[in-house]
Amino acid sequence: MMTIEKIVTIINSALNLKINPSDLKKDEPLKNIGIDSLDFYNILLELEGVTGKKVSDDDSERLKSIEDLVKFFS
């Protein structure tokens, strides 16, 4: 099961960031933490690799927050 901590760890690794999970609200929009569309694509690729779950274009449009990522990839 994916958790906020696991998602943030993957984001930090994929983007070479140092986001602290405890500093985020679970419904924090990804754009508010500096994740642009290219970063988002890279994060999705990493999460697909880790979980084996593929993200359709329709699904990717609905993934706007850390919480959305946790729910989708769990």
Side-chain angles (χ1 to χ4, degrees), residues 1-4 7 26-27 47 53 62-63 65-74:
M1 177 174 189
M2 293 303 265
T3 63
I4 291 173
I7 296 284
K26 64 182 179 179
D27 60 346
L47 289 167
K53 187 171 184 179
R62 291 189 294 261
L63 301 174
S65 69
I66 298 290
E67 181 178 38
D68 293 340
L69 293 173
V70 170
K71 287 178 181 178
F72 183 83
F73 285 102
S74 290

Side-chain angles (χ1 to χ4, degrees), residues 4-54:
I4 291 173
E5 290 78 12
K6 287 180 184 178
I7 296 284
V8 171
T9 297
I10 291 168
I11 290 171
N12 283 339
S13 176
L15 304 180
N16 198 27
L17 298 174
K18 294 182 181 179
I19 299 168
N20 185 341
S22 63
D23 293 340
L24 297 175
K25 297 177 192 170
K26 64 182 179 179
D27 60 346
E28 183 84 32
L30 296 171
K31 66 180 182 176
N32 286 3
I33 57 176
I35 296 174
D36 63 21
S37 58
L38 181 59
D39 292 337
F40 179 67
Y41 177 75
N42 288 330
I43 291 165
L44 290 184
L45 288 176
E46 288 291 322
L47 289 167
E48 286 178 340
V50 168
T51 64
K53 187 171 184 179
K54 298 295 179 192

